[in-house]
Amino acid sequence: MPRIITPSTPEHEINERNARMFGSPKERLDFYRREIQYETSILANRTDAYLTAQSFLVIAFVSCMGNLNPGWGPSFTLMVAPFLALLGVLSSLNAWPGIHAAFKIIEHWQLKQSHLLRSEPMMGLAYDESPLFSEAETSRVGHRKSLLFSLRTPWIFLVFWIVLGSYSVYIQMA
């Protein structure tokens, strides 16, 4: 029968309920690590799909700008190149929310993992003595640095497409 935990509930009952509800600290750590790994693979897949799309857009843009047809080449380049740049801007803006959401979820699980390792002294000691793990893995700065490429890529391409689109219009009008 479920019980409501109140301030007068004995500590051993609360610990017992938590143990039944969450399992051992090792099970929680394993769960957090699986979630981090799952979300990291989602982030990697989103970044990979985004970069693939951007590479095809860059190829199309360069091919468009290289159009030397004397009859319709300049008008084609004036119309299609800015359109491709706009498509690149829109895809960058659409990629950002998904990439950022995956990052925030990874950050959440990393934080939970860090709290677990700090709140369970024995778990933290075993964790720190293991040669496979280090404090850099669980620090906020450490995992943020490893995810910066995925976070920065949409913004870098956004600026890239704005500059290229503006330049393509400028050179056609000048």
Side-chain angles (χ1 to χ4, degrees), residues 25 116-129:
L116 173 67
L117 292 172
R118 286 186 182 91
S119 70
E120 295 289 336
M122 293 308 293
M123 186 71 146
L125 289 174
Y127 183 78
D128 290 339
E129 291 170 356

Side-chain angles (χ1 to χ4, degrees), residues 136-150:
E137 285 181 313
T138 59
S139 72
R140 186 174 188 153
V141 175
H143 87 271
R144 276 184 163 249
K145 283 182 181 177
S146 68
L147 301 175
L148 278 179
F149 176 78
S150 293

Side-chain angles (χ1 to χ4, degrees), residues 2-173:
R3 285 193 56 186
I4 297 175
I5 297 177
T6 63
S8 63
T9 306
E11 185 69 29
H12 72 278
E13 280 187 35
I14 294 172
N15 291 340
E16 219 174 272
R17 280 185 59 96
N18 286 342
R20 283 193 309 247
M21 188 169 163
F22 298 113
S24 71
K26 169 85 169 89
E27 289 170 345
R28 279 187 282 174
L29 180 63
D30 290 343
F31 174 75
Y32 295 157
R33 288 201 159 262
R34 280 192 306 272
E35 288 300 311
I36 291 167
Q37 183 178 13
Y38 174 73
E39 290 299 331
T40 302
S41 68
I42 287 175
L43 178 63
N45 289 339
R46 287 178 182 167
T47 304
D48 185 43
Y50 172 72
L51 288 173
T52 301
Q54 292 300 306
S55 68
F56 282 113
L57 273 174
V58 169
I59 291 168
F61 183 86
V62 170
S63 298
C64 173
M65 291 302 290
N67 188 346
L68 299 175
N69 187 308
W72 51 272
S75 61
F76 177 81
T77 302
L78 182 63
M79 297 296 288
V80 177
F83 174 75
L84 290 172
L86 179 63
L87 190 59
V89 166
L90 292 175
S91 71
S92 293
L93 292 174
N94 282 323
W96 170 249
I99 289 172
H100 188 255
F103 168 76
K104 294 305 273 182
I105 293 170
I106 292 168
E107 195 172 58
H108 167 77
W109 289 117
Q110 284 282 60
L111 184 67
K112 301 240 347 142
Q113 175 182 275
S114 294
H115 285 285
L116 173 67
L117 292 172
R118 286 186 182 91
S119 70
E120 295 289 336
M122 293 308 293
M123 186 71 146
L125 289 174
Y127 183 78
D128 290 339
E129 291 170 356
S130 175
L132 295 175
F133 304 115
S134 70
E135 180 62 28
E137 285 181 313
T138 59
S139 72
R140 186 174 188 153
V141 175
H143 87 271
R144 276 184 163 249
K145 283 182 181 177
S146 68
L147 301 175
L148 278 179
F149 176 78
S150 293
L151 285 175
R152 289 180 179 165
T153 301
W155 296 111
I156 291 169
F157 270 102
L158 179 72
V159 171
F160 171 80
W161 285 118
I162 290 171
V163 169
L164 272 185
S166 301
Y167 182 70
S168 70
V169 171
Y170 172 76
I171 62 172
Q172 290 300 317
M173 298 302 230

